[in-house]
Amino acid sequence: MKLTRLQVRHVRILDDVTIQPDARLNIIEGANASGKTSLLEAIHILAQGRSFRTRKTREVVNRDADALLVFGEGRENEFTHRLGVKKSNREKTEIHVDRQRVQGVSALAVLLPLLVITPESHALVSGGPSRRRALVDWGVFHVEQTFHRHWLTYERALRQRNALLKQGASSASLVVWEREMAVSGNEITAQRKRYVDTLAPRVEQYMKTLLQDVKITIGLKTGWGNEPFHEALRTGREKDERFGYTTLGPHRAELEIRTEGRPASEVVSRGQQKLMVMALRLAQLDVFQAATGRSAVLLIDDLPAELDHKKRDMLLAQLSQMDLQIFVTTTDAALIGSETWSSSKMFHVEHGRVSSRC
């Protein structure tokens, strides 16, 4: 789905903003601290129910308000969808889809598939495994229809097993939940492996474009050893009882990113890590569109700071060939070439106010 209207209220310094984005390229220009990134943040909240900058809603809500509101309209397959998210500074969230209140953010994610690239995105390579696991799960969620159901089943069984471990329950009690974890966990892992296998050659393709001198490989670590998962749970009980939680399983999986036989974070520079993230994101968009035939939204915060002129133009030309709606921030719109795009709009942000410019 591509956004045709966006209304933002009380998101940081954006008090009351309404824009009608272009279906293709949207350039958001303004000085530092003007509210550019806050506009991207609002779109992210609309698509995923949370900010990409912080987990604390009170940091996002305008200091003079009790709650933020983001509303969006978009079209897909001749249908108009309406999405709304209200988040209070007391960490309460209300989500509406097509005027119906819904529970959970998955309904938003299904309608508005979105990825983001920020100046901090290098942490996807250098940071902990949860970030890379989330990268994989974003893709699997959108291309495997049963993934979300299996994940919810697995999480429920995992919580129950962890509670029993803390209580010192018997092995017979644990077995009940281990069986459920094994069934759903094996499905999750099989789907993740298929996705990573599909993603890998596309990552290699984009790496050749963005970072020719560095070759990387990606692969999935399942979160346990080579034995069947149900056996790993059984043999791991003693350790898990000592720790009071489940130490292995799909919730401990990781996407390995390696170069020269070592973790990429140990070999390449921070700038190269950022280019790796861009290759990963482009590959994800490729896989998503090939599998679903749908468009997606891409947010890029401060693109000129991420790439030199040549690579920036190369990336924009590549993106212009994909079925995407893009929002990119910059302090200087002249740095974002729009010549290869079929259509574009520019928005100027100043002190939390947003105006459209031709």
Side-chain angles (χ1 to χ4, degrees):
M1 184 178 88
K2 295 180 179 179
L3 290 171
T4 56
R5 182 170 178 262
L6 177 71
Q7 182 177 1
V8 182
R9 297 192 66 188
H10 309 314
V11 174
R12 298 191 189 266
I13 65 171
L14 303 180
D15 188 50
D16 191 355
V17 170
T18 300
I19 64 170
Q20 295 179 316
D22 187 77
R24 300 290 285 123
L25 175 63
N26 296 275
I27 303 169
I28 303 166
E29 179 196 47
N32 291 328
S34 62
K36 304 187 305 298
T37 302
S38 298
L39 192 58
L40 299 190
E41 195 173 13
I43 299 170
H44 196 276
I45 290 170
L46 186 66
Q48 299 188 11
R50 59 178 176 81
S51 165
F52 61 82
R53 299 167 75 183
T54 178
R55 292 186 177 276
K56 298 177 181 178
T57 303
R58 64 179 179 272
E59 295 180 2
V60 186
V61 178
N62 185 291
R63 66 182 63 182
D64 297 323
D66 296 323
L68 64 82
L69 174 68
V70 185
F71 172 81
E73 290 184 0
R75 289 186 61 80
E76 185 170 46
N77 297 329
E78 305 304 319
F79 291 99
T80 297
H81 295 287
R82 296 172 176 85
L83 310 179
V85 178
K86 180 180 180 181
K87 295 179 73 71
S88 76
N89 51 23
R90 296 181 180 180
E91 304 298 334
K92 292 184 178 180
T93 302
E94 292 182 21
I95 299 172
H96 289 80
V97 175
D98 294 332
R99 297 192 173 93
Q100 299 293 318
R101 187 168 179 175
V102 300
Q103 299 296 320
V105 300
S106 60
L108 298 173
V110 167
L111 285 174
L112 194 58
L114 176 146
L115 287 173
V116 59
I117 298 172
T118 76
E120 292 76 38
S121 288
H122 64 89
L124 186 63
V125 177
S126 61
S130 62
R131 295 174 183 268
R132 293 181 289 280
R133 191 163 54 244
L135 178 150
V136 173
D137 287 348
W138 182 92
V140 184
F141 172 84
H142 285 291
V143 303
E144 297 274 3
Q145 293 184 352
T146 62
F147 174 78
H148 187 57
R149 173 168 57 84
H150 288 308
W151 182 251
L152 291 177
T153 300
Y154 179 82
E155 275 198 323
R156 180 175 71 96
L158 177 64
R159 286 194 300 269
Q160 294 293 336
R161 186 177 189 267
N162 285 344
L164 291 171
L165 288 167
K166 291 176 183 177
Q167 296 167 14
S170 66
S171 294
S173 300
L174 294 171
V175 165
V176 175
W177 296 107
E178 288 173 0
R179 288 172 181 162
E180 193 164 308
M181 288 176 67
V183 172
S184 56
N186 285 330
E187 288 292 337
I188 290 167
T189 301
Q191 292 177 350
R192 283 173 169 170
K193 284 182 176 179
R194 285 197 295 270
Y195 179 74
V196 172
D197 287 346
T198 304
L199 189 69
R202 289 173 166 84
V203 173
E204 182 179 355
Q205 169 193 337
Y206 285 114
M207 283 293 293
K208 289 178 180 177
T209 301
L210 295 173
L211 202 58
Q212 296 179 355
D213 297 333
V214 178
K215 293 184 178 180
I216 66 170
T217 60
I218 63 172
L220 182 73
K221 290 183 68 174
T222 61
W224 71 93
N226 296 322
E227 71 270 48
F229 185 31
H230 69 278
E231 286 292 333
L233 287 169
R234 182 183 62 80
T235 58
R237 280 179 203 154
E238 183 178 345
K239 178 182 178 181
D240 292 350
E241 287 168 355
R242 290 200 310 271
F243 282 89
Y245 60 88
T246 305
T247 59
L248 51 81
H251 63 289
R252 303 298 294 271
E254 167 158 19
L255 179 71
E256 286 192 308
I257 306 173
R258 303 179 72 84
T259 183
E260 300 177 11
R262 296 164 56 193
S265 59
E266 298 178 1
V267 179
V268 301
S269 68
R270 177 169 293 191
Q272 290 173 323
Q273 289 175 22
K274 291 181 177 182
L275 291 170
M276 284 183 179
V277 172
M278 291 189 178
L280 284 162
R281 291 308 194 195
L282 287 171
Q284 283 193 285
L285 292 166
D286 255 4
V287 173
F288 170 78
Q289 293 183 342
T292 67
R294 299 176 61 207
S295 62
V297 174
L298 177 63
L299 311 179
I300 308 179
D301 191 22
D302 200 7
L303 177 61
E306 299 298 293
L307 298 173
D308 61 31
H309 175 73
K310 182 178 179 181
K311 282 191 167 58
R312 186 169 62 241
D313 288 349
M314 190 183 302
L315 175 65
L316 287 168
Q318 181 66 53
L319 291 172
S320 71
Q321 302 304 310
M322 304 173 76
D323 186 15
L324 298 172
Q325 183 179 41
I326 299 180
F327 297 81
V328 55
T329 65
T330 179
T331 56
D332 183 358
L335 298 176
I336 308 297
S338 59
E339 296 81 6
T340 60
W341 294 79
S342 57
S343 63
S344 64
K345 281 186 179 180
M346 189 177 81
F347 299 94
H348 181 74
V349 185
E350 186 173 0
H351 304 303
R353 295 185 295 274
V354 182
S355 58
S356 178
R357 292 188 174 180
C358 299

